[in-house]
Amino acid sequence: MHFVLRLATALTLGCLVWFVSADLSVSAQSSTTNPYRATFGWEQLPEGRVLGTVSGVFPDPDGRHLWILDRCGANECAGTDLDPIMKFDLEGNLVDSFGAGLFAFPHGFFLDHEGFLWVTEGGSHGDSRAVAGEAMGIGHQVLKLNQQGDVVMRLGEAGVWGDGPNHFNGPSGVVVARNGDIWVSDGHRGGNNRIVKFSADGTFLLEVGGGVGSESKEAARFSDPHDIKMDSQGRIYVADRGNSRIQVFNQEGELLYIWTHYGKPSGLFIDRNDILYAGDGLSGMVRTGPPDNWRSNLGWEKGIRIGDLKTEQAWVTHFIPQHDEDVGAGIEFLGVDFDGNIYAGEVSRRRLVRYVPHRPSELIRTQ
C-alpha cells in the first residue's frame, strides 16, 4: 500500500512538473516584453516600382544608409529588368540601385566590413524557384559585388548544382569574417543541408553536414539551413529552420550549442552589440511530406525573438508577435539599423515592415 501511494505521488508530481515546465515554456514565449510598434510605407520608390519579397537588410557602416535585397517587386527576378539591390537613406528615400539581370531568385544577403555586398541564389535544383534561373544559365552561386554593382568574385558554377567543394545547390545565406573567411549555408529547401567554409580567395576549407536528402535532427546535421550569421567572437549561427532550432559552431566547425527557444527561425540578424534577432514566419503552419514531416513547430507563435548573445544561452528577452491576420509565410528576413529599428521582410504579403522602438528597453539603450 505504501509502495502504491509513493508511486502514485511520484507519478502525480512528475505530471505536475511536466505541466509546469510546459506552461513555463509557453509563457516564456508570450510574456516577454515587446518594446516595438509596427509601421508601414517607410520606403519611397519611383512611380510604378513596388517592393516584393525583401530577403535581406543591412545598415551601411556610414550610419546614414540602408541596403536592401528585393526580389524585383515579386518573389523572383527572372525575366525582369529591375534592380534587386537597393540603397536607401534612413528617411526611406531610394538613392541607388543595381544588379538587374544578375539573379533569378536572390536569397541570402550580407554587407561585409569592407563594404562589399554578397548575394546568394537560393533556388535548389528540383524546386520551382530554381527552374527559371537554371534555364537562363544562372543560379547556384554566391556573388560578391562592390557598391558600384560590379561583380568582383563568384563562388560556385553558374546554373550547375552539386555538393562538392566547387558547387552549391541553392545556397541560402552567406556571412564573411573580418579575416575574409566566407561561410555559406547550402542550401535552401531540398538543397545540400550543409554549411561550407572558404578562405578569402574562395578556397574550400571545410563543410558540416551535407547532401541532398540528408535532412536530419541529429546534432551538427541540418534540415533546410535557411540563414547563417556570425557574432563578434566569430561564432557561427545557423537557422536550422526545418528542425526549429539554431545551431552554433566555432570557426573550426565544431558544435557549441543547440538552441530551440527561438521558434522556427528563417532569418537571423546580429547587431554590433551582439544582440540576436530571429525572424520566425512559419511556426504553427502544418507541413507534411518531403523532405520531412516534423516541420510544423505547433504551439509556437510567429514573430521576432530577440536575445543577448553576451549572456549564457541567450534566452529570449523580447518577443514581437506577428501583428496581422495569418495569411501564410510571414517574416523570413530581417535587419536592424544603428538606432534599433527593425526592418522585416514578409513573404506572403511581400512587404517591408519597420518596427520602431516606442518604449524603454535595455536592448535599445545599448545600440
Side-chain angles (χ1 to χ4, degrees), residues 210 262 278 288 296 306 362:
Y262 280 86
T288 59
S296 301
I306 306 171
E362 67 276 10

Side-chain angles (χ1 to χ4, degrees), residues 331-350:
I331 296 168
E332 293 196 16
F333 309 94
L334 73 171
V336 184
D337 67 23
F338 295 151
D339 293 323
N341 301 298
I342 303 171
Y343 302 79
E346 295 184 342
V347 173
S348 291
R349 283 191 166 90
R350 296 181 185 173

Side-chain angles (χ1 to χ4, degrees), residues 166-353:
N166 300 313
H167 291 90
F168 301 111
N169 190 351
S172 55
V174 58
V175 65
V176 181
R178 296 194 70 84
N179 70 351
D181 286 349
I182 307 157
W183 288 83
V184 178
S185 50
D186 174 37
H188 200 204
R189 189 170 65 229
N192 281 333
N193 296 295
R194 66 176 180 172
I195 59 174
V196 192
K197 182 181 182 181
F198 302 88
S199 66
D201 65 1
T203 301
F204 174 88
L205 297 177
L206 64 86
E207 68 173 11
V208 180
V212 173
S214 66
E215 292 86 1
S216 174
K217 298 180 184 179
E218 295 179 14
R221 301 285 294 279
F222 306 99
S223 173
D224 189 11
H226 199 260
D227 198 7
I228 188 166
K229 291 294 186 290
M230 184 186 306
D231 69 9
S232 65
Q233 298 182 47
R235 295 178 296 189
I236 301 297
Y237 297 78
V238 182
D240 187 11
R241 183 170 72 172
N243 287 322
S244 301
R245 65 189 183 184
I246 294 173
Q247 296 200 68
V248 187
F249 300 85
N250 64 20
Q251 284 291 315
E252 288 68 50
E254 299 167 335
L255 181 65
L256 300 177
Y257 304 105
I258 294 177
W259 293 342
T260 59
H261 48 287
Y262 280 86
K264 188 180 188 65
S266 286
L268 305 177
F269 188 87
I270 299 174
D271 72 14
R272 57 185 177 175
N273 296 302
D274 278 346
I275 303 301
L276 172 65
Y277 302 78
D280 175 357
L282 293 178
S283 277
M285 293 175 59
V286 177
R287 306 291 291 271
T288 59
D292 48 59
N293 58 3
W294 61 79
R295 301 164 59 96
S296 301
N297 204 33
L298 299 176
W300 287 74
E301 296 179 64
K302 297 178 180 179
I304 301 171
R305 294 175 177 85
I306 306 171
D308 190 341
L309 296 176
K310 298 184 295 295
T311 62
E312 184 67 22
Q313 299 298 326
W315 297 112
V316 175
T317 55
H318 298 285
F319 175 64
I320 306 172
Q322 178 171 277
H323 56 276
D324 270 339
E325 179 184 357
D326 194 353
V327 295
I331 296 168
E332 293 196 16
F333 309 94
L334 73 171
V336 184
D337 67 23
F338 295 151
D339 293 323
N341 301 298
I342 303 171
Y343 302 79
E346 295 184 342
V347 173
S348 291
R349 283 191 166 90
R350 296 181 185 173
R351 69 180 179 188
L352 181 71
V353 183

Side-chain angles (χ1 to χ4, degrees), residues 32-84:
T32 53
T33 59
N34 174 18
Y36 295 89
R37 60 183 175 85
T39 65
F40 306 91
W42 168 83
E43 68 279 4
Q44 305 300 311
L45 296 171
E47 184 176 356
R49 178 73 157 95
V50 297
L51 288 179
T53 299
V54 171
S55 63
V57 179
F58 265 89
D60 192 275
D62 68 10
R64 297 182 291 109
H65 295 92
L66 203 70
W67 292 90
I68 287 179
L69 180 66
D70 170 57
R71 291 188 188 146
C72 303
N75 197 36
E76 64 178 358
C77 289
T80 78
D81 58 359
L82 299 177
D83 291 329

Side-chain angles (χ1 to χ4, degrees), residues 17-39:
V17 169
W18 187 90
F19 281 111
V20 168
S21 298
D23 180 65
L24 285 174
S25 65
V26 172
S27 62
Q29 176 186 202
S30 58
S31 66
T32 53
T33 59
N34 174 18
Y36 295 89
R37 60 183 175 85
T39 65

